[in-house]
Every structure is written in C-alpha cells, then in structure tokens.
Amino acid sequence: MNPITFVSNVNPELHLKYNLYGWGNVRCNGILSKPLFSYIVLCICTFIQNFSVNGANNAVISTLERVFYLNSVQSGLFLALYDLATVFSAPLVGYLGSLYSSPIFFSLNMIIVSIGNILIASSNFINRNNKLNFNLDFTQNFLTFNNVLFQCYNDSLLNRENVTDSICLKDEYSSSTSINAKFLLYSGNFINGIGSVALFTIGIIYIERIFPREKAAYCQGIYFAVGTVGGALGIVVTGRFLLVYTTLTPKQRLPSWLTPSHPLWIGCWWLPYFIYGSLCFLIGLVVSGLPNYEIPGKKHSINRNAITIPTISAQQQYNPVSINRENSPTVNTMTTTCTPTPATDSMLSESFSGLKSKNPPQLTSSPAENNTRNGVINYAFSTDMLYNQLPITNSAPSTTTTSASPFVQQQTNKENLRNMCFGIFKLLKNMRYVFIVIANLFEGILLKGFVPFITKYFEYQHQLDTSTATLITGAIALLSVIIGCPIGAYFMNKFSWTPIQCARICTIILIISSFLFLSLIFSCPELKFQYASCSSMNTPCCQHIYHPVCNTNEPHKMYLSPCHFGCINQTIITSNNTMLYSLCNCAEDTILSETVCRFRRIPCMTMFILTMIGATFLVFFTAFIQVPMLQVLLYSVSLPYQNMALAIRQTIVRVLGQTTGPLLFGYVFDQSCLVWLTDCYDRQTCKVYDNRRMSLSMALSGFSIRLISGIACSIVYFNWKFKHSNQNDISSNNLHMTSNEEHEITRF
C-alpha cells in the first residue's frame, strides 16, 4: 500500500486567513467563521436566486407578452435563454472554482444575478407601447397616449383597402427603442443564467468541504430543497405585485372598469425585479467574506514523485468483469457517489487511471477501512484525506514508479482522453442508459414547458387575473414538490425497491399520469366579440388597437374596440367616471362603453376544479418518480461511469429538453390564437385564444410527451427483466443518498 502524500508546507498566517470571515487583512473570529453560518448564508443565496429568477420569470410571462408585444414562442425563448446560458458558463465556472476562493464565485454569482434582474426591470422604461396613461391632475381619467377611436384616412397609394392607420404616422414611435427594450429583456435573463451557475456547481463542493462526510449529503439535500421552495414561493409572491398597476397609479385615480381581471390590465411586473436585484446585491456583499476553509489551488497539490501507479492497461481498466453493476446479479447495497472537487477530479484522472480493474489495490488507509470489504465502492473527497474505498483482495498488480516528466504527463493526458471517449462510447451502447436518458429528456421538456404556460392556461381558459393564476400555479408546484419527492424516497426505502422495481413503478406512473393530461380537453368558452359587416372594413385601420367595449343597451354584446365599430367621438362623464363612445359608422345610434362590460371569473367551475385536480396530480407524480428514476439511471451503468453518465444526462436534458420545452408549448399556444394585436413595428401578441383548440393542443402535447417518457421507461424495465432478471433485493438499511443524487433530485 502506497499512500498519497500531500504538500503541507503552508504559511500558518495564510492558512488562518482562509478560515476566518472577512476581507483582505480584516478578519474576525467567532460565529461568522463557523461552517454553520457559511451554510446558512449559502442557503439564503440559493433561496433568493431561485425566488428571483425561476419564480419571477414564470409568474410574469403573460404580462411580458402584453408589454413587449411578444408571441408565445418569443416568451418561451425568454425562458429558454436562462438554461442556455448555464450550459456555456458551467464548465468555465467549474474549472476556475478549483483555482480561486469559492466565496468569490458565490459573491459574483449573486451580483451578476442582481445585474440581470435590474436589466430586465429597466427594459420597462425603455419600451414604448400603447399602455394606458392617465392624467392625475383631474378627478376624471382619460387617455393621453393611446387613442382608441376610428382615425383613418384614404390613401390611393396604399393597398389596405385605401385605408391607412394614422396612429403609426406619429413621431413618438421609434422602432429602435422597442428593439432595444426587447434586447435588454432577453439579455437580462441570459445574464441571470450565466451568473446562477456557481451556487449549484461550486456550492456542492463547498458544502462537502465544510461538513463531515456523513453529514454533507443531508446538508446538500436541504440546500437544494431550499432552492426548490424558493422558486415556488417566488411565483406566489411575484404574482401579488401584479395586483398593482404598472404605472403605480393609485386605484382611486384609475377608471372604475380597469381592474386586475380586465384584459387591458398590466400589473407592476418590473418592481419585484428591482427589489430582488437589490437583495441579490446585498447578499452578494455578505457572502464575499465567507471563509474558503482551504487555500485555493494548493489544497490538492500532490508530490507526484512519490506517487505509485498500478501498471494496468486500458483494456483491463474497462474489463466487463470489473466492478459492473449494470449486469451484476449480486448487488446488495444502493451504491452512491459524491462529487469530488475539480482539483481532485483532475488529479485522479492523471494519477489513478488504472484503479478500476477487477482487483484494484487500496491506496489509502482510513478509520473506515474495515467497512470496505464486500462493501460499497464510493469515491468521495474529504477535507483531509482522499478516500477510495474498494473491496479488499489478496492479490495486487505489479506497480511501477513514475516521475512528473512532460512526456509522462502528455501520455497520461492522451490516455485520459482515450478513456473518456471509450466511456462515452460504452454508455451510448448501453440500451438501458440511452432510454432512461430519453425518458428524462422528455420529462425536462414537459416540466420547463408545462409549468410556465399552465399559468397562462388558467388565465385565458378560466378568465382569471394573472395574480390569481400565478397564486394557483405556485401553490400546486410548492405543495406537490414538497410532498412528492419525500414520499417517493420514503416508498423506495420502505418497500426496498430494487432498480428493476423502480423502473416498473416509473413506467406505471408515467403511463397512467399521461392520461391525466386528457382532462385538459374540456374547455370553457372564450370571450365572444361581435363582428358586423362594417367591422371588417374598419379592421385595417384598427389592427393596432385592442380595447374591449360593450353596448350600453345590450351589455352582452362586446366589440374589440371603439375603432372596430367605427366610433369617432369620445365623451367623458365626470360624475361616475365613465367614457362613452358614439357616432359609430356601424350604428350611429349605438353608444359603447368599457364600464358596462362584465368579465366573469371562472365561468366553468366544474371544469376548473377538474383541471386543478389534474394539474396537482400531474406535478405530484412528476415529483414522486424523481428519486426512483435517478436510481434506475445509476444502476443502469457500472460505477466507474456514473459521474460521466450523470453529466451526459444533465447536458442532454438541459440543451435539448429544458431549452426546447418553453418553445414547444409556446408554439402550441400560438397556433390557437384568434385575435392578433399588431403594433406599428409588426410585432404581434395574441389577445384572444380559441379555448377549445388551446385545451386540445395542451392535452395532446402533454399526453404525447408523457407517454413517450413512459414507453422509454418500459423499454428499460423489460430489457432489465428479460436479460438480467436474477437481481437481488436492496436492503433499505443500506440506502444512502449523497451529493450528486440529492442534486439531481432537487434540480428537476
């Protein structure tokens, strides 16, 4: 046995510096330097980040469409940019995290997210749209910017039935301003994605560093659970801001008809981004002073001249008879993995590329040495020692001593590259791994697409205001996730589910829950507008206006706007704060007004209750199967490939699933649009949807995606059953969850 030797020639003052809270030479001892305080601050960071990004974005998606004239695909792109940014920034942050102090990255994480939130909020003040503005100097309210009357003139040179909209000829409109506002909106969320990487990459290793090995996994589970709760609460709290009008105008100065349930209402979506951005900046300053608890870049330095490397070929290293759990019939415990620090990971790849043979030697001695015989193979890094517990055998391969010459280093790098390519090739040939990844991929599409747009579905299908719709969505997500994940893990432990049983349970739940989407087929009628023969003639002039009004004598008759009905006169009654529109070319004796319109909330109560129950069970079952699905994936591959398998799975799901989900469901919504509102720059946003087509499209899309996930899981199950049916049961007493698994479970 040849133990690893770490360099320990460290300046005591430098070592003390990285174990105390503070900045530079200003350091303080006490509770601020305790690991528990650092952990609490880190949990606050992930809570605020998920609260401000994941929660706020999902809550304001329909409001952003109204403000920036976005169609559903474009609003889906806004959501997808966040996940796309993390794909590019995660490798760089992961690499630099081993070279510099971790709290620096945590601080930059929060400050960058703060900048992104402020940029998103600032886009509201750059954008120029046709929102309602009111003169606050008078008791009555009247439009000062958006004229909804019929004001067109004939122009023989134009082909819009010789009618031209005079609104777009005003000097106030500038296309470049609107483009800049939209660019700022997208850039802010992309920056949020870049900045949010450190907490769920370096943060995992930081927690592993500050806590004992046996406690780190549980602390990491709590850490990610806090982030999940933050995202759900963010939806609820942000929705409350939407009850305030976007201009912060007091309710008594608003028209009586302009309420949060009115289609023209625009909530104060930008204010929470300013508040959340400020909180992120403040917590970023606090977290920057946390101790690193090790000297950056030196903790894992190794005296390579003292390293003894087993002489084992690559063929022996990846021998199928080596430690291979994907075909092993004698699995007795649930194997887990812990995430090593980046420096340790590279160190292992360079120095111990031959450790995965059938009979590898034990490289370290530890108090847990007596537990390694016939036990679990577990790679984990402790702050003081590198553990690599392997089954003890009586034979050991011959060894040769190497030096850290450039030639040897180059050969080692080439060998590592070949081993990595060989590992990827082996995973792609693994049928069970490929199909469980496919199942995870379609689940990622469903989660990232269904959750944001279910808020919009409630809003248009059941005529709810945006604030109430976000409250319902947040409550469903919060309760289902908090209850679903623990119950899934409890059942797996209670009944000692083997991996093949986990695959069977996932198959059953996925296929059965796919039929719950069919409950969305039942729909409620959308807003019905009256169309007269003259309305089609007026439409070319009014395509930039959406302002619902009703006939004062017959309130059930609703029109898209006074312009569509050809009204050219507006009268303000100060006594009851009412606007009347008259002298309409469709009917001169008809008077229209916004006040007489009645917008029902939840017109189909039975359908609404069924939808609520179906959505709750869908999210619950999705959370319930996260732990079993992760175990199926881990047991589909042999232990040496687990980290690579998780990394490939996460990359595929994030790139192909989480970025395409919002775009796919956005496209589904756009196809059901009835009334498009086009501004002067040809930007379009939908104002009225065909609820029947919307519900049918949502139901079939969700059903198809969930059914594909179920079929993929069934292939894994039957492949496992008919090819390797002699698998032993797993003792619930030996079931443990560690960092990678906790991370994967709670990040869904």
Side-chain angles (χ1 to χ4, degrees):
M1 181 178 66
N2 296 291
I4 301 173
T5 304
F6 289 94
V7 177
S8 59
N9 296 327
V10 179
N11 186 344
E13 294 183 359
L14 188 62
H15 186 272
L16 187 64
K17 172 183 176 182
Y18 286 101
N19 284 274
L20 296 178
Y21 183 89
W23 301 268
N25 295 325
V26 180
R27 299 281 167 173
C28 61
N29 206 339
I31 191 173
L32 296 180
S33 300
K34 299 294 183 181
L36 181 60
F37 176 80
S38 301
Y39 175 69
I40 293 175
V41 172
L42 208 60
C43 286
I44 294 175
C45 287
T46 190
F47 179 86
I48 295 178
Q49 175 180 290
N50 285 275
F51 191 96
S52 63
V53 177
N54 296 328
N57 288 350
N58 291 332
V60 303
I61 191 67
S62 60
T63 303
L64 292 180
E65 293 180 5
R66 300 191 194 107
V67 174
F68 294 94
Y69 282 83
L70 304 177
N71 57 41
S72 297
V73 173
Q74 292 172 333
S75 62
L77 177 61
F78 169 77
L79 297 174
L81 284 174
Y82 175 81
D83 291 296
L84 189 62
T86 61
V87 174
F88 295 106
S89 58
L92 179 62
V93 173
Y95 171 74
L96 296 177
S98 63
L99 303 179
Y100 301 96
S101 179
S102 297
I104 294 178
F105 288 93
F106 301 150
S107 178
L108 290 175
N109 182 115
M110 301 306 295
I111 292 176
I112 292 175
V113 170
S114 171
I115 295 173
N117 285 336
I118 292 176
L119 288 178
I120 292 175
S122 301
S123 62
N124 177 74
F125 303 97
I126 296 179
N127 180 61
R128 288 187 179 183
N129 58 2
N130 292 343
K131 61 189 176 187
L132 299 174
N133 293 283
F134 307 98
N135 192 326
L136 303 181
D137 296 331
F138 301 93
T139 303
Q140 71 274 16
N141 299 283
F142 58 91
L143 301 175
T144 60
F145 182 74
N146 179 25
N147 198 325
V148 298
L149 297 178
F150 184 81
Q151 43 181 344
C152 298
Y153 64 90
N154 293 331
D155 190 342
S156 59
L157 299 179
L158 298 178
N159 295 323
R160 288 187 179 178
E161 302 181 7
N162 295 331
V163 177
T164 301
D165 188 354
S166 61
I167 293 179
C168 293
L169 301 179
K170 296 180 180 180
D171 295 333
E172 297 100 313
Y173 289 91
S174 173
S175 60
S176 60
T177 302
S178 298
I179 293 175
N180 293 337
K182 185 177 177 181
F183 176 77
L184 198 62
L185 178 73
Y186 284 174
S187 299
N189 205 35
F190 189 82
I191 291 174
N192 280 341
I194 294 176
S196 63
V197 170
L199 288 181
F200 64 83
T201 53
I202 304 175
I204 305 173
I205 304 167
Y206 185 79
I207 295 175
E208 180 110 3
R209 183 189 309 152
I210 65 178
F211 286 108
R213 184 179 169 198
E214 62 275 7
K215 294 183 180 179
Y218 300 101
C219 293
Q220 288 161 348
I222 296 173
Y223 173 72
F224 286 109
V226 168
T228 304
V229 173
L233 287 178
I235 297 177
V236 175
V237 175
T238 305
R240 300 294 91 187
F241 284 92
L242 300 180
L243 293 175
V244 181
Y245 193 67
T246 184
T247 58
L248 299 180
T249 305
K251 285 187 177 182
Q252 57 270 24
R253 293 181 177 270
L254 292 174
S256 58
W257 52 267
L258 188 59
T259 61
S261 60
H262 196 278
L264 295 181
W265 179 272
I266 297 178
C268 190
W269 66 272
W270 50 270
L271 183 57
Y273 281 100
F274 273 128
I275 297 175
Y276 303 157
S278 302
L279 288 176
C280 289
F281 183 80
L282 293 177
I283 195 67
L285 298 180
V286 174
V287 76
S288 64
L290 293 180
N292 194 52
Y293 298 106
E294 72 174 24
I295 301 176
K298 294 185 179 182
K299 177 66 180 177
H300 310 300
S301 300
I302 296 177
N303 186 356
R304 298 185 180 275
N305 294 326
I307 294 177
T308 303
I309 302 177
T311 307
I312 300 174
S313 63
Q315 290 79 6
Q316 291 174 317
Q317 177 178 353
Y318 296 101
N319 194 323
V321 300
S322 63
I323 308 163
N324 190 342
R325 296 184 308 150
E326 65 176 301
N327 298 324
S328 174
T330 59
V331 178
N332 293 321
T333 56
M334 188 71 76
T335 306
T336 59
T337 59
C338 290
T339 305
T341 58
T344 308
D345 188 68
S346 62
M347 180 178 68
L348 288 171
S349 64
E350 294 175 5
S351 305
F352 303 103
S353 60
L355 291 181
K356 303 178 183 65
S357 64
K358 181 178 180 181
N359 298 314
Q362 184 170 340
L363 295 179
T364 63
S365 59
S366 69
E369 185 175 340
N370 57 342
N371 295 327
T372 60
R373 187 179 301 274
N374 299 326
V376 177
I377 304 168
N378 194 343
Y379 302 95
F381 181 75
S382 173
T383 56
D384 298 318
M385 187 174 295
L386 179 69
Y387 292 95
N388 193 1
Q389 300 179 1
L390 300 169
I392 300 174
T393 61
N394 296 325
S395 61
S398 60
T399 59
T400 59
T401 303
T402 64
S403 61
S405 63
F407 175 76
V408 173
Q409 180 68 29
Q410 184 178 6
Q411 291 297 109
T412 304
N413 292 336
K414 291 182 180 179
E415 183 70 15
N416 291 336
L417 181 60
R418 286 195 299 268
N419 293 341
M420 183 183 69
C421 295
F422 181 82
I424 295 176
F425 178 72
K426 184 175 177 64
L427 289 175
L428 294 179
K429 291 201 309 180
N430 187 329
M431 183 177 179
R432 289 199 297 274
Y433 174 74
V434 170
F435 278 95
I436 197 62
V437 169
I438 291 175
N440 279 272
L441 171 63
F442 281 90
E443 284 299 292
I445 294 175
L446 192 60
L447 282 171
K448 279 293 184 177
F450 181 77
V451 173
F453 284 98
I454 192 63
T455 302
K456 188 175 178 180
Y457 177 88
F458 283 133
E459 185 177 347
Y460 285 92
Q461 190 73 227
H462 300 286
Q463 299 182 21
L464 295 175
D465 60 270
T466 307
S467 180
T468 303
T470 55
L471 177 62
I472 294 173
T473 303
I476 291 175
L478 181 62
L479 295 177
S480 300
V481 170
I482 290 178
I483 298 175
C485 275
I487 290 181
Y490 172 78
F491 272 66
M492 191 175 66
N493 285 271
K494 177 69 174 179
F495 300 103
S496 301
W497 289 346
T498 62
I500 190 173
Q501 290 173 330
C502 290
R504 181 174 60 189
I505 294 298
C506 291
T507 300
I508 295 173
I509 290 179
L510 287 173
I511 292 179
I512 291 178
S513 63
S514 66
F515 289 94
L516 290 175
F517 280 97
L518 298 182
S519 64
L520 299 177
I521 290 179
F522 304 102
S523 63
C524 291
E526 64 276 356
L527 293 176
K528 299 296 184 181
F529 292 94
Q530 303 294 320
Y531 294 94
S533 58
C534 61
S535 297
S536 57
M537 299 177 59
N538 297 335
T539 298
C541 173
C542 309
Q543 62 179 342
H544 307 304
I545 300 175
Y546 175 74
H547 193 94
V549 289
C550 298
N551 191 328
T552 55
N553 297 324
E554 300 176 277
H556 64 278
K557 291 186 177 181
M558 185 182 300
Y559 302 92
L560 286 172
S561 72
C563 179
H564 284 83
F565 205 66
C567 300
I568 60 175
N569 182 61
Q570 175 180 337
T571 303
I572 302 174
I573 302 178
T574 59
S575 59
N576 56 2
N577 202 19
T578 301
M579 299 181 189
L580 301 178
Y581 305 95
S582 56
L583 300 180
C584 308
N585 58 25
C586 288
E588 293 185 359
D589 58 343
T590 300
I591 299 177
L592 306 179
S593 177
E594 306 95 343
T595 308
V596 296
C597 294
R598 296 292 180 265
F599 297 96
R600 290 185 59 191
R601 295 184 59 182
I602 316 179
C604 308
M605 181 60 69
T606 303
M607 295 298 101
F608 174 71
I609 294 175
L610 290 177
T611 303
M612 284 277 294
I613 295 174
T616 302
F617 276 106
L618 279 171
V619 180
F620 171 80
F621 284 133
T622 301
F624 180 89
I625 63 173
Q626 293 306 305
V627 179
M629 283 188 71
L630 180 59
Q631 295 307 312
V632 172
L633 184 143
L634 292 175
Y635 271 80
S636 296
V637 299
S638 55
L639 182 62
Y641 303 104
Q642 276 191 1
N643 285 336
M644 184 181 296
L646 289 172
I648 294 176
R649 192 285 299 261
Q650 184 66 13
T651 301
I652 292 175
V653 171
R654 188 173 289 274
V655 175
L656 301 180
Q658 295 180 358
T659 56
T660 59
L663 301 178
L664 175 62
F665 277 84
Y667 176 80
V668 168
F669 265 80
D670 284 341
Q671 296 306 304
S672 60
C673 183
L674 286 178
V675 178
W676 287 99
L677 178 63
T678 305
D679 70 348
C680 297
Y681 325 120
D682 292 328
R683 299 182 302 176
Q684 286 187 325
T685 185
C686 187
K687 290 298 183 180
V688 181
Y689 288 94
D690 184 344
N691 283 358
R692 178 65 178 170
R693 185 171 182 178
M694 177 203 295
S695 60
L696 185 63
S697 300
M698 282 283 288
L700 295 180
S701 299
F703 172 77
S704 302
I705 295 173
R706 178 54 64 85
L707 187 62
I708 293 174
S709 299
I711 293 174
C713 270
S714 68
I715 293 175
V716 174
Y717 168 69
F718 287 113
N719 177 272
W720 223 328
K721 180 177 181 179
F722 294 115
K723 289 191 176 182
H724 311 285
S725 59
N726 57 343
Q727 177 179 241
N728 290 350
D729 290 338
I730 298 172
S731 174
S732 61
N733 295 329
N734 293 324
L735 179 61
H736 301 287
M737 194 75 59
T738 56
S739 58
N740 276 355
E741 299 176 18
E742 290 285 357
H743 169 60
E744 294 298 329
I745 292 168
T746 53
R747 282 290 299 169
F748 90 97

